[in-house]
Amino acid sequence: MVDTGEAVRIDRAGPLRGTLTPPPDKSISHRAAIIAAMGEGDSRLEGYLDAADTRSTLAAVAALGAEVTERGATGTPGGIDVGVRGIGLRGPAASVGATGGAGVAIDVGNAGTLLRLLPGWLAGQEAGRWVLDGDESIRRRPVDRIVEPLSYMGARLSARDDHLPPLTVDGSLLVGIEYRLPVASAQVKSSILLAGLLAHGRTSVVEPTPTRDHTERMLRAAGAEVSSEPVETTVALRGELPARRWTVEPADRIAGGELAIPADFSSAAFWLVAGILVPGSEVRLDGVGINPTRIGLLGVLNRMGAAIEVIETAAAGGEPRATIVARHGPLEATRVGRGEVPLAIDELPLVALVGCFAEGDTVVSGAGELRHKESDRIATVAAGLGALGAEIEATDDGLVVRGSGGLRGGAIDAAGDHRLAMLGAIAGLASREGAEVRGFDAAGVSYPGFADDLRSLSRR
Ligand code: S3P
């Protein structure tokens, strides 16, 4: 691997061998900081992700009045131990004392999860104004998906052109609603559930297919009343997982506590795929979170015939963990449809990459949400892998990849998207001629130690 500042060159790799613990979970880290700030008393977050995105969340809760202390290095690679002294569910307005004017500026950086979750909490404050804004990419991320349901609850939110950041939140009294998500989104579900804690009456969210449930697990652990039930729909009759209704009761307080954060399955996924694609490889990943709402990629790779072993270890912090071993082997094409998409949403670019090495056509559909990520991932994955020699086509709501026995290599642009940067690196390792990844630095948004981990697996 050669770093020339702007671009990084990754050559075709020999067998990748070794064991590593990927960095802590990004989704869980964001939620842990926000929920700890909403709580009473002291919380301790062990193995909090030390990356740009989750640093934005620590800064945001500190700006709201929570006392954040870093407790130095942790046993978890890529993590820090963080102490948060919560300000309580109704703490933000009192602590900032803002009742209008320009409002308190919250810089969310590149973090879409922070942009969608935090307004759920702020919307229910009886006084106060906050303005959430971030980088160039965040300014293209839609917020109308939270503005609509939160407004039904009585929230006062306003966005640029009614759908883009900056997003201004004026705290107000909320009432509970039942809301059916038009598109399965864990971020929107979480935002509504956080608002529900502060509302009058109970709040329910129906998700058309299951999405990650970290918020619900953490709120329960903090003493909130959160329940769920399946909702039978025609989707369920087609054999997909049924829709779910999540309900939260209003609360006066939630408790702080201790949380040990597992390694991020979405970061582990890059090494799983590298292990599968690079001949002779065997990669072992320790301490990886295997919450069932996150590991759709394992089912997809299993259908493709990949040699993956999952050895479940103890659950910690309400989240199951495992050691996962990936070995190189032959692959067949598969189809990924709507019901599976939320369970593998951030790994779909990797499915496209694996498809290049599989026998037959790999088709991803029902994944229009990919267009609203850190980049338009349907367009950037098609362009990026296409530039490396893939036979890949973008559709309205997905991708079609013709297996061509591998990838030639070349140059790929990360498009300011951390997952594209890492996708390009893994593609380079498995390609015939290697890859130059332009804008590789974007990887630091979720995985600052990616290049070091790459070196450790390539060392022979
Ligand atoms: C996330 C949920 C997903 C995912 C994102 C993180 C979360 O987004 O793509 O990277 O932490 O809730 P949506 O659920 O909104 O699709």
Side-chain angles (χ1 to χ4, degrees):
M1 173 163 176
V2 183
D3 191 342
T4 59
E6 291 270 285
V8 162
R9 166 125 209 112
I10 290 119
D11 290 321
R12 175 187 176 83
L16 300 171
R17 293 193 163 257
T19 301
L20 59 84
T21 302
D25 191 283
K26 179 157 87 74
S27 284
I28 296 177
S29 294
H30 283 304
R31 287 161 170 78
I34 294 171
I35 292 172
M38 298 172 86
E40 305 276 331
D42 289 325
S43 288
R44 188 185 140 96
L45 314 177
E46 190 189 308
Y48 184 91
L49 175 63
D50 185 12
D53 244 28
T54 40
R55 288 246 168 223
S56 296
T57 299
L58 290 182
V61 298
L64 296 176
E67 203 178 301
V68 176
T69 43
E70 276 183 39
R71 313 233 166 136
T74 158
T76 319
I80 46 175
D81 286 349
V82 173
V84 179
R85 176 155 296 169
I87 52 176
L89 281 179
R90 292 168 180 80
S95 61
V96 297
T99 52
V104 177
I106 307 278
D107 181 4
V108 304
N110 189 252
T113 302
L114 177 58
L115 174 68
R116 273 61 170 268
L117 264 60
L118 198 62
W121 179 24
L122 299 178
Q125 305 305 320
E126 283 182 34
R129 168 175 288 180
W130 297 271
V131 182
L132 285 81
D133 200 0
D135 68 11
E136 194 198 323
S137 147
I138 214 79
R139 285 193 159 206
R140 294 192 298 267
R141 310 281 303 270
V143 289
D144 43 332
R145 52 187 56 203
I146 58 162
V147 170
E148 184 183 283
L150 294 176
S151 300
Y152 291 150
M153 297 177 79
R156 292 180 296 149
L157 307 181
S158 60
R160 178 169 54 95
D161 298 333
D162 291 333
H163 72 291
L164 295 171
L167 173 67
T168 302
V169 182
D170 282 299
S172 58
L173 292 176
L174 303 181
V175 287
I177 56 166
E178 169 156 317
Y179 185 73
R180 290 185 171 254
L181 294 176
V183 177
S185 161
Q187 294 180 351
V188 179
K189 172 180 65 172
S190 299
S191 190
I192 299 168
L193 293 176
L194 295 184
L197 290 170
L198 289 136
H200 291 272
R202 73 166 52 127
T203 298
S204 298
V205 185
V206 178
E207 51 185 357
T209 51
T211 66
R212 65 192 68 188
D213 64 0
H214 307 303
T215 307
E216 297 87 313
R217 288 175 188 241
M218 272 184 231
L219 287 180
R220 274 184 183 149
E225 273 183 67
V226 177
S227 58
S228 80
E229 56 181 351
V231 180
E232 294 307 328
T233 61
T234 47
V235 176
L237 295 177
R238 289 205 305 263
E240 292 174 7
L241 289 173
R244 277 197 101 69
R245 174 183 290 105
W246 287 96
T247 300
V248 64
E249 303 291 337
D252 290 328
R253 63 188 295 277
I254 59 171
E258 292 196 2
L259 181 66
I261 300 173
D264 197 323
F265 180 83
S266 297
S267 299
F270 292 100
W271 306 122
L272 289 180
V273 166
I276 289 165
L277 297 185
V278 176
S281 297
E282 178 172 318
V283 176
R284 192 182 170 96
L285 302 160
D286 282 335
V288 182
I290 52 160
N291 179 316
T293 59
R294 290 290 296 281
I295 55 171
L297 177 72
L298 292 182
V300 175
L301 294 177
N302 189 36
R303 290 202 299 280
M304 299 181 91
I308 292 186
E309 203 182 326
V310 179
I311 307 146
E312 197 155 344
T313 50
E319 297 277 350
R321 296 181 189 219
T323 290
I324 309 181
V325 184
R327 297 183 185 88
H328 173 256
L331 298 160
E332 287 162 35
T334 193
R335 302 179 87 84
V336 179
R338 205 181 67 111
E340 215 170 11
V341 161
L343 308 178
I345 184 76
D346 294 332
E347 290 68 65
L348 295 175
L350 285 166
V351 171
L353 172 62
V354 177
C356 299
F357 293 75
E359 179 89 32
D361 288 357
T362 293
V363 181
V364 176
S365 61
E369 271 300 287
L370 286 179
R371 294 206 180 272
H372 305 295
K373 299 300 176 188
E374 286 81 336
S375 65
D376 171 347
R377 285 191 185 147
I378 292 182
T380 52
V381 169
L385 293 181
L388 300 181
E391 290 185 38
I392 183 166
E393 197 188 309
T395 62
D396 282 353
D397 67 349
L399 294 156
V400 179
V401 186
R402 171 146 301 162
S404 49
L407 269 184
R408 181 195 63 228
I412 172 170
D413 191 316
D417 182 336
H418 57 125
R419 297 204 197 280
L420 252 290
M422 294 184 278
L423 177 78
I426 303 299
L429 290 175
S431 68
R432 292 186 292 277
E433 297 173 10
E436 179 183 295
V437 183
R438 300 191 177 138
F440 178 78
D441 283 359
V445 156
S446 63
Y447 200 158
F450 182 88
D452 290 338
D453 284 350
L454 170 53
R455 273 182 219 106
S456 91
L457 290 178
S458 328
R459 206 173 289 139
R460 264 152 291 144

Short mmCIF file of all heavy atoms in Angstrom, two decimals, residues 265-297:
data_model
loop_
_atom_site.label_atom_id
_atom_site.label_comp_id
_atom_site.label_asym_id
_atom_site.label_seq_id
_atom_site.Cartn_x
_atom_site.Cartn_y
_atom_site.Cartn_z
N PHE A 265 -19.82 -4.79 12.78
CA PHE A 265 -19.96 -5.77 11.71
C PHE A 265 -19.73 -5.11 10.34
O PHE A 265 -19.15 -5.73 9.44
CB PHE A 265 -21.36 -6.43 11.74
CG PHE A 265 -21.53 -7.45 10.66
CD1 PHE A 265 -21.05 -8.75 10.82
CD2 PHE A 265 -22.11 -7.12 9.44
CE1 PHE A 265 -21.14 -9.68 9.80
CE2 PHE A 265 -22.22 -8.05 8.42
CZ PHE A 265 -21.74 -9.33 8.60
N SER A 266 -20.16 -3.86 10.19
CA SER A 266 -20.02 -3.19 8.89
C SER A 266 -18.55 -2.93 8.55
O SER A 266 -18.19 -2.87 7.37
CB SER A 266 -20.80 -1.87 8.89
OG SER A 266 -22.18 -2.13 9.05
N SER A 267 -17.70 -2.76 9.57
CA SER A 267 -16.26 -2.62 9.31
C SER A 267 -15.63 -4.00 9.09
O SER A 267 -14.79 -4.18 8.21
CB SER A 267 -15.57 -1.92 10.49
OG SER A 267 -16.10 -0.62 10.64
N ALA A 268 -16.08 -4.98 9.90
CA ALA A 268 -15.59 -6.36 9.73
C ALA A 268 -15.88 -6.86 8.32
O ALA A 268 -15.10 -7.63 7.74
CB ALA A 268 -16.27 -7.27 10.76
N ALA A 269 -16.99 -6.40 7.75
CA ALA A 269 -17.44 -6.90 6.44
C ALA A 269 -16.37 -6.73 5.35
O ALA A 269 -16.25 -7.57 4.45
CB ALA A 269 -18.73 -6.18 6.03
N PHE A 270 -15.57 -5.65 5.45
CA PHE A 270 -14.53 -5.45 4.43
C PHE A 270 -13.51 -6.58 4.46
O PHE A 270 -13.08 -7.08 3.42
CB PHE A 270 -13.83 -4.09 4.65
CG PHE A 270 -14.75 -2.94 4.36
CD1 PHE A 270 -15.39 -2.26 5.39
CD2 PHE A 270 -15.03 -2.56 3.05
CE1 PHE A 270 -16.27 -1.23 5.12
CE2 PHE A 270 -15.90 -1.53 2.76
CZ PHE A 270 -16.52 -0.86 3.81
N TRP A 271 -13.15 -7.02 5.68
CA TRP A 271 -12.14 -8.08 5.80
C TRP A 271 -12.73 -9.45 5.49
O TRP A 271 -12.05 -10.32 4.96
CB TRP A 271 -11.51 -8.07 7.19
CG TRP A 271 -10.96 -6.72 7.52
CD1 TRP A 271 -11.30 -5.93 8.57
CD2 TRP A 271 -10.01 -5.96 6.75
NE1 TRP A 271 -10.62 -4.74 8.52
CE2 TRP A 271 -9.83 -4.73 7.42
CE3 TRP A 271 -9.31 -6.20 5.56
CZ2 TRP A 271 -8.96 -3.74 6.94
CZ3 TRP A 271 -8.44 -5.22 5.08
CH2 TRP A 271 -8.28 -4.01 5.77
N LEU A 272 -14.03 -9.62 5.79
CA LEU A 272 -14.69 -10.88 5.42
C LEU A 272 -14.62 -11.06 3.91
O LEU A 272 -14.26 -12.13 3.41
CB LEU A 272 -16.18 -10.85 5.81
CG LEU A 272 -16.52 -10.92 7.28
CD1 LEU A 272 -18.03 -10.88 7.49
CD2 LEU A 272 -15.96 -12.22 7.82
N VAL A 273 -14.95 -9.98 3.23
CA VAL A 273 -14.98 -10.06 1.76
C VAL A 273 -13.55 -10.20 1.22
O VAL A 273 -13.31 -10.99 0.29
CB VAL A 273 -15.72 -8.84 1.19
CG1 VAL A 273 -15.49 -8.69 -0.31
CG2 VAL A 273 -17.21 -8.97 1.50
N ALA A 274 -12.60 -9.51 1.82
CA ALA A 274 -11.21 -9.66 1.37
C ALA A 274 -10.78 -11.11 1.53
O ALA A 274 -10.14 -11.69 0.64
CB ALA A 274 -10.29 -8.74 2.17
N GLY A 275 -11.13 -11.72 2.66
CA GLY A 275 -10.76 -13.12 2.91
C GLY A 275 -11.38 -14.06 1.89
O GLY A 275 -10.75 -15.03 1.45
N ILE A 276 -12.59 -13.77 1.50
CA ILE A 276 -13.29 -14.63 0.54
C ILE A 276 -12.70 -14.50 -0.86
O ILE A 276 -12.61 -15.46 -1.62
CB ILE A 276 -14.78 -14.20 0.49
CG1 ILE A 276 -15.48 -14.60 1.78
CG2 ILE A 276 -15.51 -14.78 -0.70
CD1 ILE A 276 -16.81 -13.89 1.94
N LEU A 277 -12.26 -13.26 -1.20
CA LEU A 277 -11.87 -13.00 -2.60
C LEU A 277 -10.39 -13.24 -2.90
O LEU A 277 -10.03 -13.53 -4.04
CB LEU A 277 -12.21 -11.55 -2.98
CG LEU A 277 -13.69 -11.16 -2.96
CD1 LEU A 277 -13.86 -9.73 -3.47
CD2 LEU A 277 -14.53 -12.12 -3.79
N VAL A 278 -9.54 -13.08 -1.90
CA VAL A 278 -8.10 -13.18 -2.20
C VAL A 278 -7.64 -14.64 -2.02
O VAL A 278 -7.75 -15.19 -0.92
CB VAL A 278 -7.27 -12.23 -1.29
CG1 VAL A 278 -5.78 -12.42 -1.54
CG2 VAL A 278 -7.68 -10.78 -1.52
N PRO A 279 -7.15 -15.28 -3.08
CA PRO A 279 -6.78 -16.70 -3.01
C PRO A 279 -5.84 -17.01 -1.85
O PRO A 279 -4.91 -16.25 -1.57
CB PRO A 279 -6.10 -16.96 -4.36
CG PRO A 279 -6.71 -15.94 -5.28
CD PRO A 279 -6.96 -14.72 -4.42
N GLY A 280 -6.13 -18.12 -1.18
CA GLY A 280 -5.27 -18.60 -0.11
C GLY A 280 -5.50 -17.93 1.24
O GLY A 280 -4.80 -18.20 2.20
N SER A 281 -6.50 -17.04 1.32
CA SER A 281 -6.67 -16.25 2.56
C SER A 281 -7.43 -16.99 3.64
O SER A 281 -8.30 -17.83 3.37
CB SER A 281 -7.44 -14.96 2.26
OG SER A 281 -6.71 -14.16 1.39
N GLU A 282 -7.12 -16.62 4.88
CA GLU A 282 -7.93 -17.00 6.03
C GLU A 282 -7.85 -15.86 7.03
O GLU A 282 -6.79 -15.57 7.58
CB GLU A 282 -7.45 -18.30 6.67
CG GLU A 282 -8.30 -18.63 7.87
CD GLU A 282 -8.03 -20.01 8.46
OE1 GLU A 282 -7.87 -20.96 7.69
OE2 GLU A 282 -7.97 -20.09 9.70
N VAL A 283 -8.99 -15.17 7.22
CA VAL A 283 -9.03 -13.98 8.07
C VAL A 283 -9.97 -14.25 9.24
O VAL A 283 -11.09 -14.73 9.04
CB VAL A 283 -9.54 -12.77 7.25
CG1 VAL A 283 -9.68 -11.55 8.14
CG2 VAL A 283 -8.61 -12.48 6.08
N ARG A 284 -9.49 -13.95 10.43
CA ARG A 284 -10.27 -14.20 11.64
C ARG A 284 -10.56 -12.87 12.32
O ARG A 284 -9.64 -12.10 12.60
CB ARG A 284 -9.41 -15.10 12.54
CG ARG A 284 -10.10 -15.70 13.70
CD ARG A 284 -9.07 -16.51 14.49
NE ARG A 284 -9.68 -16.90 15.74
CZ ARG A 284 -10.27 -18.08 15.94
NH1 ARG A 284 -10.26 -18.99 14.99
NH2 ARG A 284 -10.85 -18.35 17.09
N LEU A 285 -11.84 -12.62 12.61
CA LEU A 285 -12.25 -11.33 13.18
C LEU A 285 -12.88 -11.57 14.54
O LEU A 285 -13.84 -12.34 14.65
CB LEU A 285 -13.24 -10.65 12.23
CG LEU A 285 -12.62 -10.45 10.84
CD1 LEU A 285 -13.69 -10.24 9.79
CD2 LEU A 285 -11.64 -9.29 10.85
N ASP A 286 -12.35 -10.92 15.55
CA ASP A 286 -12.81 -11.16 16.93
C ASP A 286 -13.74 -10.06 17.44
O ASP A 286 -13.62 -8.90 17.04
CB ASP A 286 -11.59 -11.20 17.88
CG ASP A 286 -10.85 -12.51 17.79
OD1 ASP A 286 -11.48 -13.52 17.40
OD2 ASP A 286 -9.64 -12.52 18.11
N GLY A 287 -14.63 -10.46 18.35
CA GLY A 287 -15.44 -9.49 19.09
C GLY A 287 -16.47 -8.74 18.27
O GLY A 287 -16.88 -7.63 18.62
N VAL A 288 -16.89 -9.36 17.14
CA VAL A 288 -17.76 -8.64 16.20
C VAL A 288 -19.23 -8.73 16.63
O VAL A 288 -19.72 -9.82 16.95
CB VAL A 288 -17.61 -9.24 14.77
CG1 VAL A 288 -18.48 -8.47 13.78
CG2 VAL A 288 -16.16 -9.22 14.33
N GLY A 289 -19.92 -7.61 16.63
CA GLY A 289 -21.35 -7.59 16.95
C GLY A 289 -22.12 -8.34 15.88
O GLY A 289 -21.91 -8.12 14.68
N ILE A 290 -22.98 -9.27 16.31
CA ILE A 290 -23.77 -10.04 15.33
C ILE A 290 -25.27 -9.89 15.62
O ILE A 290 -26.02 -10.85 15.50
CB ILE A 290 -23.36 -11.52 15.27
CG1 ILE A 290 -23.36 -12.15 16.67
CG2 ILE A 290 -22.01 -11.68 14.58
CD1 ILE A 290 -23.44 -13.68 16.64
N ASN A 291 -25.66 -8.69 16.01
CA ASN A 291 -27.10 -8.41 16.13
C ASN A 291 -27.78 -8.87 14.84
O ASN A 291 -27.34 -8.50 13.75
CB ASN A 291 -27.25 -6.89 16.34
CG ASN A 291 -28.69 -6.45 16.47
OD1 ASN A 291 -29.54 -6.89 15.72
ND2 ASN A 291 -28.94 -5.58 17.41
N PRO A 292 -28.87 -9.69 14.95
CA PRO A 292 -29.49 -10.23 13.74
C PRO A 292 -29.97 -9.17 12.74
O PRO A 292 -30.08 -9.45 11.55
CB PRO A 292 -30.70 -11.02 14.28
CG PRO A 292 -30.43 -11.24 15.72
CD PRO A 292 -29.47 -10.18 16.18
N THR A 293 -30.21 -7.94 13.24
CA THR A 293 -30.66 -6.90 12.31
C THR A 293 -29.51 -6.24 11.56
O THR A 293 -29.72 -5.30 10.80
CB THR A 293 -31.45 -5.79 13.07
OG1 THR A 293 -30.59 -5.21 14.08
CG2 THR A 293 -32.70 -6.35 13.72
N ARG A 294 -28.29 -6.75 11.78
CA ARG A 294 -27.13 -6.16 11.10
C ARG A 294 -26.43 -7.10 10.13
O ARG A 294 -25.59 -6.67 9.34
CB ARG A 294 -26.10 -5.71 12.16
CG ARG A 294 -26.53 -4.52 12.98
CD ARG A 294 -26.56 -3.24 12.17
NE ARG A 294 -25.24 -2.87 11.69
CZ ARG A 294 -24.31 -2.27 12.43
NH1 ARG A 294 -24.57 -1.97 13.69
NH2 ARG A 294 -23.14 -1.94 11.92
N ILE A 295 -26.71 -8.39 10.23
CA ILE A 295 -25.81 -9.36 9.57
C ILE A 295 -26.42 -10.00 8.33
O ILE A 295 -26.09 -11.13 7.98
CB ILE A 295 -25.34 -10.44 10.57
CG1 ILE A 295 -26.54 -11.14 11.24
CG2 ILE A 295 -24.42 -9.82 11.62
CD1 ILE A 295 -26.15 -12.36 12.07
N GLY A 296 -27.28 -9.24 7.65
CA GLY A 296 -27.85 -9.75 6.40
C GLY A 296 -26.78 -10.22 5.42
O GLY A 296 -26.99 -11.16 4.65
N LEU A 297 -25.60 -9.57 5.45
CA LEU A 297 -24.53 -9.94 4.52
C LEU A 297 -24.15 -11.42 4.69
O LEU A 297 -23.79 -12.08 3.70
CB LEU A 297 -23.30 -9.06 4.75
CG LEU A 297 -22.09 -9.40 3.87
CD1 LEU A 297 -22.33 -8.98 2.42
CD2 LEU A 297 -20.81 -8.74 4.39
#
